[in-house]
Structures are given as C-alpha cells and as structure tokens.
C-alpha cells in the first residue's frame, strides 16, 4: 500500500526541504561561453537572430571576457569570422588569422581565462563547407591536414584547448598528431563527437556567416534519427585521443547525451546551440515565456541528462542568476 503512508509532497512543501533533496546543481563552473570574433577594432555588431550576442573585435572581446570572468565564467570558446574567405579556408589556419590574434589579445590581458578554439573551416571557406571541396563533395583526408594546421596555429597563439567540429573522419587523431609534433602534447582536445546535421544551427550560421552556399552538411554531420551511431562516433574519437567528447545540439538530443554519459570514460560536454537559444529569446521577447526560468530549466535538464559542461549563449545570464 503506497498511499497514505507515502506522500511525495512531504519533501516538497518547504524551500529548505526542496534544496536538501535537489539532485542537480547548476554551477557557473559548468558553463562555457561561445563568442564570435571578427576583424576590426571597437566592434560590437549585434547578431539579429541571437539577442544579447555580438560579433566582437579582439579588443572588445577582451572587454567582454573581463565581464564574464568577473561573473565567474572561467572558459570561453572562440569562433572566427575572417575578412577574406577562399576555397580552402586559408584564414582558418593562418598564424596571424583572426582567431590566433584574438587568443593572443585575450591571453595577454586575461591570462587566467581558459580559451578554447573551435577548429573548423566553414567560417573560412567561400563555399561554407567544413573542409576541402572537389566536384561538390567534401574531401575527408585532405581536410585533415588543414584541421591539424589550424589546431597548431591556435595552440601556438596560446589556446588552452582545441575543439574540432568539422565532423571529418579521423580529425581527432590528425589533430593529436599535429599538436604532438609541434610540441603541444599537453593541449587537450574536446571533440564534437556526436554532431548532428541540425536546423538548430541556423542563427549561428548567420552569426558566423558560415551557411553552406550549396547543398547541406548531411554527408558529414549525423542523421538526427540515429542514436547507436553516436556511441560509435564517441568511441572512435576517444580511441583517436579525445580528452572530452561533445553531444550537439543538446536539447533535442538529451537521450543521446544520457547514453553517451553512461558509457563515456571521458568528460562529456553538451552544446546548447544557437537555435535553442534563439527560440527561448524570441518567445521571451514576446512575453510568451519567462526567459530566465526557461534558461535555468533547460541548462539544469542538460546537466541532469549527463553533461559535465555546457556550451551556452545563456552563460552570462545564468551566471548572474546563480550569483543572486
Ligand atoms: C562549425 C560549427 C557550427 C556550430 C558550431 N561549430 C555550425 C555548423 O556546423 O553548421 C553551431 C553552433 C550553434 O549553432 O550554436 N562547424
């Protein structure tokens, strides 16, 4: 007999009781803030589809990171928007490209901020795909060499971690080898292991000016219908030397996150992507939902599902809420 002996509400009826039995605690340490850096100075160009986010120049990036650091956010991930794009994404691995310059500026001004550099070519190629294209197809193996060069350029500039997101087979191994050869054996790799071909990246592609000019990313990113395949992606990346693995997007993929977290011997990150953020912001602007409560609920759910860390555009907002 369950009721009336058992009453689940006994532990819910006071704030202290609820706090005492709370299973998941979101903390500022769980958050990684994604930031967009472009050429120029004094730049803060608002991204229309991502309220609260801007394209920054290296100097304003430093100013913004100072605010984040004061809020307790310890880590950022950088995405670069170059002035010039070309067929092979040269600015993505140029030693004086926008991301290496941003890293140097950040590390000089705020040496204690943990800087992660996203490693991909879609922001740097004129066709908007994540690697080398021939006859309309993305060539896997020639792309690996360029991703390795990009990772090394970012490590040389002072990146604390690199995060390959191109979904090229073998990218983690290639980057590990390239880093080790150049003396960066201690630079960890956060692999976007289970990255889906998702419509939730729409606002990011606006922000990073990286939408593919033809076709889509379905030949290299995962089919949203697949779960078992994600486990294999994770397994392969760990074999190749990934220090952490990521599931992306997060919200529509919490089942994947849980399964990966159950099996993964390495820490698991989740990317609460641009579209997930924009949906909340748009509805909150209309007054249809309470944006702050929704953000907290979403991030708590992502952590409850198994994420050790969360990449999120809500980072600052949530850091402020947590500080209250
Ligand atoms: C680069 C990359 C993308 C995102 C992170 N790294 C875009 C894509 O794959 O098209 C998306 C992040 C977001 O939507 O917030 N490959």
């Amino acid at each position: 007999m369950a009721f009336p002996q058992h009453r689940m509400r006994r532990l819910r009826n006071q704030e202290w009781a609820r706090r005492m039995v709370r299973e998941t605690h979101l903390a500022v340490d769980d958050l990684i803030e994604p930031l967009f850096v472009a050429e120029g100075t004094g730049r803060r160009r608002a991204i229309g589809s991502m309220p609260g986010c801007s394209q920054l120049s290296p100097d304003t990036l430093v100013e913004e990171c100072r605010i984040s650091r004061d809020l307790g956010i310890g880590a950022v991930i950088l995405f670069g928007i170059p002035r010039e794009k070309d067929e092979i994404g040269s600015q993505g691995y140029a030693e004086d490209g926008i991301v290496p310059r941003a890293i140097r500026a950040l590390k000089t001004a705020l040496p204690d901020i943990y800087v992660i550099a996203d490693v991909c070519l879609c922001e740097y190629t004129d066709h908007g795909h994540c690697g080398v294209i021939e006859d309309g197809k993305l060539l896997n193996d020639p792309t690996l060499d360029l991703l390795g060069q990009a990772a090394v350029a970012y490590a040389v500039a002072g990146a604390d971690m690199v995060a390959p997101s191109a979904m090229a087979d073998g990218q983690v191994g290639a980057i590990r080898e390239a880093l080790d050869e150049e003396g960066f054996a201690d630079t960890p790799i956060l692999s976007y292991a289970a990255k889906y071909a998702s419509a939730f990246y729409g606002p990011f592609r606006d922000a990073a000016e990286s939408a593919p000019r033809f076709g889509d990313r379905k030949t290299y990113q995962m089919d949203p219908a697949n779960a078992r395949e994600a486990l294999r992606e994770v397994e392969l990346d760990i074999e190749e030397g990934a220090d952490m693995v990521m599931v992306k997007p997060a919200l529509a993929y919490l089942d994947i996150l849980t399964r990966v977290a159950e099996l993964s011997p390495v820490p698991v990150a989740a990317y609460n992507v641009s579209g997930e953020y924009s949906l909340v912001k748009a509805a909150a602007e209309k007054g249809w939902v309470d944006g702050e409560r929704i953000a907290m609920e979403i991030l708590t759910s992502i952590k409850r599902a198994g994420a050790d860390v969360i990449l999120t555009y809500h980072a600052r907002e949530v850091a402020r809420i947590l500080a209250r």
Side-chain angles (χ1 to χ4, degrees):
M1 222 197 353
F3 178 83
Q5 283 82 356
H6 297 282
R7 290 178 185 270
M8 295 306 288
R9 289 161 62 163
R10 287 183 197 123
L11 291 178
R12 285 180 202 147
N13 59 18
Q14 279 188 59
E15 169 66 8
W16 181 252
R18 291 192 296 273
R19 281 175 66 171
M20 201 165 53
V21 301
R22 190 160 292 148
E23 297 174 36
T24 307
H25 296 269
L26 191 65
V28 73
D29 288 352
D30 302 329
L31 309 174
I32 297 173
E33 185 180 22
L35 293 166
F36 300 97
V37 59
E39 300 285 348
T41 47
R43 178 172 179 153
R44 267 195 186 82
R45 196 168 136 216
I47 300 160
S49 54
M50 299 175 70
C53 298
S54 303
Q55 285 184 0
L56 305 165
S57 47
D59 58 324
T60 54
L61 175 76
V62 169
E63 287 168 24
E64 294 299 316
C65 285
R66 193 168 280 128
I67 297 172
S68 299
R69 183 206 53 188
D70 292 345
L71 286 167
I73 296 166
V76 298
I77 180 162
L78 300 183
F79 297 94
I81 303 135
R83 208 190 318 265
E84 309 259 314
K85 304 191 187 223
D86 61 24
E87 224 188 320
I88 50 170
S90 322
Q91 283 303 306
Y93 38 93
E95 297 246 329
D96 62 346
I98 181 64
V99 165
R101 274 182 287 127
I103 295 170
R104 284 191 190 95
L106 254 184
K107 278 289 165 187
T108 308
L110 302 166
D112 51 338
I113 278 239
Y114 195 84
V115 179
I116 306 170
D118 181 84
V119 178
C120 193
L121 295 181
C122 61
E123 298 111 276
Y124 304 95
T125 52
D126 51 17
H127 44 70
H129 281 283
C130 302
V132 181
I133 294 279
E134 204 176 274
D135 299 328
K137 278 199 178 143
L138 191 132
L139 301 182
N140 191 83
D141 299 9
T143 298
L144 297 180
D145 179 48
L146 303 184
L147 295 173
Q149 288 182 44
V152 168
Y154 305 155
V156 167
D160 296 295
M161 179 184 262
V162 293
S165 65
M167 285 299 276
D169 288 323
Q171 64 181 7
V172 173
I175 288 173
R176 184 71 276 154
E177 205 178 304
L179 287 171
D180 289 357
E181 256 170 36
E182 296 300 322
F184 295 101
D186 286 335
T187 303
I189 300 174
L190 162 58
S191 153
Y192 287 67
K195 177 172 173 179
Y196 287 86
S198 170
F200 281 99
Y201 307 150
F204 174 97
R205 292 179 188 173
D206 256 11
E209 300 165 12
S210 64
R213 292 294 128 84
F214 63 88
D216 51 43
R217 304 213 205 286
K218 288 182 188 161
T219 62
Y220 44 103
Q221 298 181 348
M222 284 181 57
D223 182 339
N226 294 353
R228 191 194 294 134
E229 189 188 343
L231 304 181
R232 182 131 169 81
E233 284 281 5
V234 164
E235 192 181 298
L236 290 170
D237 282 6
I238 291 172
E239 237 173 76
E240 287 175 35
D243 299 280
M244 288 177 70
V245 290
M246 192 196 296
V247 173
K248 174 187 175 196
L251 208 45
Y253 298 84
L254 291 183
D255 58 325
I256 308 298
L257 184 56
T258 298
R259 289 171 71 169
V260 167
E262 275 166 3
L263 287 175
S264 174
V266 303
V268 178
Y271 202 141
N272 173 223
V273 300
S274 57
E276 301 173 46
Y277 173 82
S278 300
L279 292 182
V280 174
K281 288 287 161 186
E285 269 177 18
K286 282 186 171 279
W288 290 350
V289 296
D290 178 335
E292 283 198 351
R293 285 190 55 203
I294 294 258
M296 288 299 287
E297 187 172 332
I298 287 175
L299 296 187
T300 302
S301 303
I302 293 171
K303 188 164 181 194
R304 190 195 63 230
D308 296 291
V309 285
I310 307 167
L311 293 80
T312 179
Y313 305 97
H314 291 293
R316 274 186 186 199
E317 180 188 356
V318 162
R320 287 201 179 93
I321 297 169
L322 290 171
R324 289 208 284 262

